[in-house]
Amino acid sequence: MTTVVELEVPADRLGAARAFDRVPSFELRIGGIIGTSPPLVWTSGPDRLTIKRALESDPSVEVLASLTDGTGRETDDDCWLFQLEFGDDMKLFQQIVSESDGTILAAHGQDGRWSLKLLFTDHKRVSECHDRFAQYDFRVTVTRVSGTNDITSARTPLTSTQYEAIYKAYELGYFDVPRRITLEELADELDVSHQALSERLRRSHAALVDAELSAGMTPLQSDP
């Protein structure tokens, strides 16, 4: 049975520990499926420049791009978007998850800790992954385990068909650079038309972005 695992990892074992120490109100949020490409990361804190300097001084991350310029009046509720390259610890964590047939769905960093949501295709692989985390001393604390037969308990904004499409796309390398499968080949795998799959993926992306920006993970009851 497909299983969603939520867990916490100290930042000194995953990344951005120095930035958290430097800026106590610092917060990072990565939404959507997290692959091998440097992710887009929403950040918040006192102001954009302070966050940028904290990230640049942290050896566990590299700022590849600052995608918001910080112009205009800034408030405590402001967020800023960066593209970050994480260091070897995060890459090892991702590798362990991937080799256990798992996927990182989301990650949130705050108060010197990372909270992550992982999805596994087989419950047996969860134990295998946890053992490997212990082997490499990631000091993981599991906070919740749930199945995805009940889509509400998995707290995803996707419908079951949207989830199936975007997970299969990720699994077969549609989001890799370069792509390992074309949209036409992926449509054949899912036994749907090219147009239907294109619309399904577009709606999936829109749902994930909307959920991340609104910080609300309310599931849909049926496909539009």
Side-chain angles (χ1 to χ4, degrees), residues 8-200:
E8 294 184 348
V9 182
D12 63 358
R13 285 300 294 120
L14 211 54
R18 184 175 296 181
F20 285 120
D21 288 341
R22 181 168 178 170
V23 184
S25 61
F26 182 47
E27 186 173 354
L28 303 94
R29 190 178 296 273
I30 311 172
I33 295 173
I34 302 173
T36 56
S37 301
L40 299 179
V41 183
W42 285 104
T43 67
S44 62
D47 59 76
R48 186 190 66 89
L49 185 57
T50 297
I51 291 173
K52 186 171 184 291
R53 287 173 175 169
L55 289 169
E56 289 175 339
S57 68
D58 194 312
S60 66
V61 296
E62 179 183 356
V63 178
L64 299 182
S66 176
L67 303 176
T68 44
D69 60 13
T71 58
R73 183 179 178 183
E74 299 179 342
T75 72
D76 290 341
D77 294 327
D78 284 338
C79 295
W80 300 276
L81 187 63
F82 292 88
Q83 185 175 33
L84 302 180
E85 177 79 64
F86 285 87
D88 291 342
D89 288 339
M90 178 69 84
K91 291 176 181 176
L92 175 59
F93 186 93
Q94 291 177 291
Q95 179 183 338
I96 291 172
V97 174
S98 177
E99 290 177 352
S100 301
D101 293 336
T103 302
I104 303 175
L105 297 179
H108 173 220
Q110 187 177 24
D111 296 329
R113 298 188 68 80
W114 283 92
S115 300
L116 302 102
K117 182 183 295 185
L118 314 181
L119 181 140
F120 295 89
T121 57
D122 187 333
H123 184 74
K124 294 180 180 178
R125 306 307 296 271
V126 176
S127 296
E128 173 188 312
C129 187
H130 190 272
D131 290 344
R132 293 198 63 195
F133 285 153
Q135 177 185 348
Y136 289 97
D137 193 30
F138 275 104
R139 306 201 300 277
V140 164
T141 301
V142 175
T143 58
R144 183 179 182 187
V145 178
S146 59
T148 58
N149 288 341
D150 176 1
I151 199 167
T152 303
S153 70
R155 297 192 301 173
T156 170
L158 305 180
T159 67
S160 57
T161 53
Q162 289 171 348
Y163 174 81
E164 178 189 16
I166 202 166
Y167 183 79
K168 197 69 173 179
Y170 173 80
E171 182 182 43
L172 296 180
Y174 180 73
F175 299 111
D176 290 357
V177 180
R179 284 176 174 164
R180 294 190 285 114
I181 190 171
T182 66
L183 188 65
E184 292 82 1
E185 292 168 337
L186 184 60
D188 289 341
E189 285 282 339
L190 292 168
D191 195 25
V192 297
S193 70
H194 172 280
Q195 181 178 356
L197 178 60
S198 178
E199 292 177 357
R200 194 170 296 174

